[in-house]
Amino acid sequence: MKTIELINASAGSGKTYRLAQRVYEEVTKTDDPLSPEKLMATTFTKKAAAELRERLRLRLLQNDREEDARKLLEGYVGTVNSVCARLLREYAF
């Protein structure tokens, strides 16, 4: 996944489910897989961010991808504000 993909829909329509599914497909594909630590996925609420992170990790763990589940914690998954704040802390000069 070398491009930006936007999932935009109303509350309760399955955005988190779809995003978790899409990321899993990219991490587990055989040709040019996505490294979980390079993932950037944002949501607007802390609850949704925690749910997304947990769904991704659970799916990876259920499919014997422990290393990918660990690396996911290094990725940029969170609220828009938390991801932007982390980027500023890590790359500010």
Side-chain angles (χ1 to χ4, degrees), residues 6-86:
L6 176 66
I7 299 175
N8 186 17
S10 62
S13 62
K15 292 181 298 293
T16 304
Y17 175 84
R18 175 66 184 121
L19 184 54
Q21 177 183 359
R22 182 77 171 99
V23 170
Y24 178 79
E25 291 167 1
E26 289 297 322
V27 168
T28 59
K29 70 181 186 179
T30 54
D31 62 315
D32 196 26
L34 171 70
S35 297
E37 69 274 17
K38 295 182 179 178
L39 172 68
M40 182 182 291
T42 62
T43 64
F44 287 103
T45 67
K46 291 178 184 179
K47 181 181 175 185
E51 183 178 335
L52 174 59
R53 191 173 15 264
E54 197 53 37
R55 282 189 190 187
L56 288 169
R57 285 184 42 76
L58 183 59
R59 186 144 188 204
L60 290 166
L61 290 169
Q62 287 174 338
N63 290 282
D64 299 320
R65 311 271 313 201
E66 290 86 9
E67 183 66 16
D68 288 332
R70 185 193 60 74
K71 288 180 179 180
L72 182 69
L73 296 175
E74 300 170 28
Y76 295 86
V77 179
T79 64
V80 174
N81 288 350
S82 69
V83 169
C84 289
R86 182 174 164 196

